[in-house]
Amino acid sequence: MRRDQPSTQRRLSALARHLGSPEEEVENPIRITDRTVEVSPTMGFSGQDSVFASIVQAPEDPILGVTVAYNKDQSPLKVNLGVGAYRTEEGKPLVLNVVRRAEQSLVNDRSRVKEYLPITGLADFNRSSAKLIFGANSPAIQEKRVATVQCLSGTGSLRVGSEFLAKHYHQRTIYIPLPTWGNHPKVFGMAGLSVSTYRYYDPATRGLDFQGLLEDLGAAPSGAIVLLHACAHNPTGVDPTLDQWEKIRQLMRSKGLLPFFDSAYQGFASGSLDADAESVRMFVADGGECLAAQSYAKNMGLYGERVGALSIVCKTADVASRVESQLKLVIRPMYSNPPIHGASIVATILNDRELYNEWTIELKAMADRIITMRYQLFDALTARGTPGDWSHIIKQIGMFTFTGLNKEQVAFMIREYHIYMTSDGRISMAGLSSRTVPHLADAIHAAVTGAA
């Protein structure tokens, strides 16, 4: 070892010169002992810029950035109607009682361990999630034609599904509604799919552009993927009727279009788990194939637990088995396997009749409070004589309302009334309360009438 030291010293000194620091400027940068080589932390890097110095500052996420701006505002009147998270009448985050009960039972179970889950996740969670969205008596489940994997909430479920499709499906184009949740095009694009749009919202009626939807899907190439919001369309709150859903189904099946449902609000929209899953079940009942991404962020209030599932309904059990094997190969290099805690909470609730019934009661209470906020806001605008037809507020459904306000009016409400929302005029009805509705109505009235 000692005989090699001079040559090692020469090589490391040459390295120091190569990195841009003349030897005479680096005082004893290298010290060699019998077993280690110690290099001064400043050797060769003194005064140099970061290797990331050319990176530019990225803009704030258009949705999450609303909360950033809200948090900086010191006004006692400020209201955050941007991010989709449920709030109580007092404006506080809510943890469901049934979630606390399920969580406590898990904590008290001394037999539980923290071992890795399988790549596909918690088996009880996957089985129960499929039953929740497709129905407990779904033939697809009974015939083992459904491959379900636990994912990281709705976003992760969409990403796993789109990665799978980009690798294994013959069509790489996905059609998404215009408008849609701002993260959708990014999720699908990053996975390697080509993103196109179909008409969905009609600004003139503040309702569904059903004719435009049918025309655009009718012109889509055979086999294309189509993203469908299962219920409570985000951001518009506008859903097709069941008759319209049936026409959409017939058109899509006739052209061989592949449905990819995003179900982020099951039970949270109408208060009925079954009613909010009806669109998905229509497509499963015809024996065709589809994908469904589920999230438990809203309907169980498990936002930060990131609990979701991806289900792929196949033609046969054999195909479903092979699909699941390939989903594992998507998940393994992405995040290896999902977390256990949140999925265990969901599985506990879904598999215990008493807890399940308690959950449905709490879920309906959340949905009903949002519906009440819709009527209060509509009534407040009517009482003020605010110009325009505001009936869309009570016709739309779910967490969000697409107000129809433009960017200038939104900016005015933020500046003058400290009411925060996305620039497209979308507001979260869950962020309202009886106390803040009058303030919002005043702001909308002033924005629409041009009052300063």
Side-chain angles (χ1 to χ4, degrees):
M1 179 68 179
R2 292 182 184 279
R3 287 195 299 273
D4 293 339
Q5 282 181 4
S7 61
T8 302
Q9 178 71 60
R10 284 195 297 274
R11 286 197 298 273
L12 290 172
S13 296
L15 174 61
R17 289 194 297 274
H18 177 70
L19 291 172
S21 298
E23 272 191 288
E24 60 269 19
E25 293 180 10
V26 183
E27 185 176 353
N28 298 323
I30 302 167
R31 185 166 64 87
I32 302 176
T33 66
D34 283 352
R35 295 188 180 276
T36 62
V37 177
E38 297 177 0
V39 181
S40 166
T42 59
M43 186 195 83
F45 300 97
S46 178
Q48 292 191 8
D49 287 337
S50 166
V51 294
F52 305 114
S54 63
I55 291 179
V56 299
Q57 182 71 32
E60 290 284 0
D61 181 274
I63 297 176
L64 300 181
V66 173
T67 298
V68 173
Y70 168 84
N71 288 336
K72 292 178 180 178
D73 192 331
Q74 300 301 309
S75 172
L77 299 176
K78 67 180 182 178
V79 181
N80 186 3
L81 303 179
V83 177
Y86 184 82
R87 294 292 181 264
T88 65
E89 178 65 20
E90 294 72 37
K92 303 295 183 183
L94 175 68
V95 179
L96 300 184
N97 290 329
V98 71
V99 167
R100 292 193 186 278
R101 286 184 60 192
E103 197 164 33
Q104 193 59 56
S105 71
L106 294 170
V107 171
N108 293 341
D109 184 355
R110 302 292 294 179
S111 68
R112 290 182 58 79
V113 294
K114 301 294 185 181
E115 291 293 298
Y116 292 122
L117 286 177
I119 297 172
T120 54
L122 188 66
D124 280 349
F125 168 82
N126 290 339
R127 283 191 294 268
S128 301
S129 293
K131 289 180 181 179
L132 186 71
I133 192 165
F134 301 130
N137 298 318
S138 171
I141 295 176
Q142 295 173 350
E143 296 163 10
K144 303 185 186 306
R145 295 190 287 110
V146 181
T148 302
V149 292
Q150 179 190 337
C151 300
L152 307 184
S153 202
T155 305
S157 302
L158 292 166
R159 183 59 186 268
V160 169
S162 54
E163 293 271 359
F164 170 82
L165 292 171
K167 186 174 182 181
H168 296 286
Y169 189 57
H170 68 277
Q171 257 284 8
R172 296 172 64 88
T173 299
I174 184 166
Y175 281 75
I176 64 176
L178 185 66
T180 191
W181 179 45
N183 215 20
H184 277 147
K186 301 170 190 174
V187 169
F188 298 125
M190 290 293 287
L193 297 177
S194 175
V195 179
S196 295
T197 61
Y198 62 90
R199 281 171 284 176
Y200 189 87
Y201 179 75
D202 183 355
T205 64
R206 296 176 184 175
L208 182 67
D209 183 357
F210 186 56
Q211 190 60 37
L213 180 154
L214 294 179
E215 290 175 2
D216 289 349
L217 293 187
S222 177
I225 310 157
V226 178
L227 177 73
L228 301 167
H229 295 229
C231 66
H233 180 274
N234 179 4
T236 69
V238 174
D239 286 353
T241 65
L242 288 180
D243 286 343
Q244 289 171 331
W245 271 121
E246 175 58 21
K247 289 183 173 63
I248 294 169
R249 185 196 67 79
Q250 292 175 7
L251 171 63
M252 289 184 61
R253 292 310 194 197
S254 70
K255 290 185 60 67
L257 303 177
L258 181 64
F260 193 160
F261 283 95
D262 185 357
S263 179
Y265 303 100
Q266 186 181 354
F268 195 84
S270 68
S272 167
L273 288 159
D274 290 329
D276 290 350
E278 190 62 33
S279 61
V280 181
R281 294 176 186 179
M282 290 170 64
F283 279 80
V284 176
D286 66 13
E289 294 173 303
C290 66
L291 292 83
Q294 292 171 265
S295 167
Y296 289 94
K298 271 70 174 184
N299 59 16
M300 281 198 188
L302 295 174
Y303 305 94
E305 297 290 356
R306 310 306 293 144
V307 192
L310 170 71
S311 290
I312 302 182
V313 180
C314 306
K315 283 285 189 180
T316 67
D318 176 62
V319 172
S321 177
R322 284 182 276 138
V323 165
E324 182 183 292
S325 73
Q326 291 296 333
L327 286 171
K328 291 180 185 179
L329 298 186
V330 172
I331 292 169
R332 177 61 170 159
M334 190 182 292
Y335 54 86
S336 197
N337 60 308
I340 192 171
H341 186 67
S344 298
I345 294 173
V346 174
T348 299
I349 293 170
L350 295 184
N351 289 299
D352 182 291
R353 182 174 296 276
E354 180 186 346
L355 293 179
Y356 180 86
N357 289 337
E358 182 178 344
W359 174 49
T360 61
I361 293 170
E362 290 193 80
L363 180 55
K364 190 173 189 308
M366 288 192 291
D368 286 348
R369 197 187 84 76
I370 291 174
I371 293 170
T372 299
M373 291 302 102
R374 290 184 177 279
Y375 278 93
Q376 287 189 13
L377 179 57
F378 173 74
D379 290 343
L381 291 170
T382 302
R384 284 161 177 75
T386 305
D389 180 3
W390 298 96
S391 62
H392 61 282
I393 293 175
I394 54 178
K395 292 176 182 176
Q396 295 171 7
I397 191 171
M399 178 171 281
F400 301 108
T401 285
F402 222 40
T403 60
L405 297 168
N406 60 39
K407 290 183 179 181
E408 291 73 22
Q409 291 167 333
V410 169
F412 168 83
M413 291 170 63
I414 293 173
R415 182 178 66 253
E416 300 297 331
Y417 286 83
H418 307 275
I419 294 175
Y420 290 81
M421 66 190 77
T422 53
S423 61
D424 58 7
R426 186 200 78 169
I427 61 174
S428 171
M429 300 305 297
L432 276 177
S433 69
S434 298
R435 177 182 59 84
T436 56
V437 161
H439 182 52
L440 174 60
D442 287 342
I444 292 176
H445 185 85
V448 170
T449 59

